[in-house]
Amino acid sequence: MFSSRDDLDDISGIPTPFRSVTFGSEFSVRDDDVIKAVDLCKDNLVVLELGSSDTGTGVWLSDVAVHHIASNCPNLRKLRLESVTGATDAAVTDVMYRCPLMEELEVSGHDRSSGSLTDECIKRLFDMSVLPNLKGLIITDQMRVRHDVVYRLRRRRPKLKIIAGDTDSDSMAHSMVLGMMGMCYGDGLY
């Protein structure tokens, strides 16, 4: 796990590539950081996790890094892009087609800013030959992904566990408003 940029810089001399890379929740991950880690691991990389909805540390990542992941990590099985509001349909679709072994995929915005995915990206998964091994999909805080598209995907892939919808703020004020409305934390997810 990389907790800081210094941790990432310290691994440059390690000859054996990692199979799993996790950027800590306090690490404000940038495109260059992901590119460096991916270049070190290339096709050995099976798990890549970054960002945090609590700290928002994934917001600096762009399509540049996501396309780089797709181009260099064909054996990727788990990709968690949490709070990555800048990942667009083009980059995530690239991952879907170039990382066919993917079992778990998360692309989330966060409670203060929506992600950039749309229905068109999710509809790619209607084709069962796209990510045929996918077992889990998290697409929270994506305001341009409609409920009906997610429900249609659930009908087409009944074994696929999907978490979608809007996450709640962790603030006390938000909790009080939810309580006054007769709702609970997490009611925005489906």
Side-chain angles (χ1 to χ4, degrees), residues 52-135:
S52 167
S53 60
D54 292 332
T55 59
T57 55
V59 299
W60 303 110
L61 211 67
S62 76
D63 278 356
V64 170
V66 180
H67 281 297
H68 194 75
I69 294 165
S71 297
N72 292 284
C73 303
N75 297 313
L76 203 59
R77 293 213 161 96
K78 179 178 182 179
L79 178 61
R80 181 178 58 81
L81 302 175
E82 193 171 334
S83 290
V84 178
T85 57
T88 67
D89 287 355
V92 175
T93 300
D94 195 21
V95 167
M96 289 178 183
Y97 287 102
R98 294 175 130 194
C99 303
L101 303 176
M102 188 76 64
E103 295 174 6
E104 296 178 46
L105 176 62
E106 175 179 350
V107 183
S108 67
H110 55 82
D111 60 3
R112 294 169 303 284
S113 182
S114 176
S116 301
L117 296 185
T118 71
D119 293 339
E120 295 311 309
C121 180
I122 304 310
K123 286 178 182 178
R124 305 284 180 160
L125 293 171
F126 288 2
D127 180 349
M128 297 298 282
S129 67
V130 176
L131 298 183
N133 301 322
L134 193 64
K135 294 177 180 133

Side-chain angles (χ1 to χ4, degrees), residues 139-142 145 147 150-151 154 162-169 174 178 181 183-190:
I139 46 171
T140 56
D141 298 314
Q142 304 286 344
V145 174
H147 290 64
V150 174
Y151 288 124
R154 281 191 172 131
I162 305 171
I163 299 174
D166 297 321
T167 59
D168 298 321
S169 171
H174 188 265
L178 283 177
M181 294 171 41
M183 298 171 70
C184 297
Y185 184 84
D187 282 350
L189 298 175
Y190 58 94

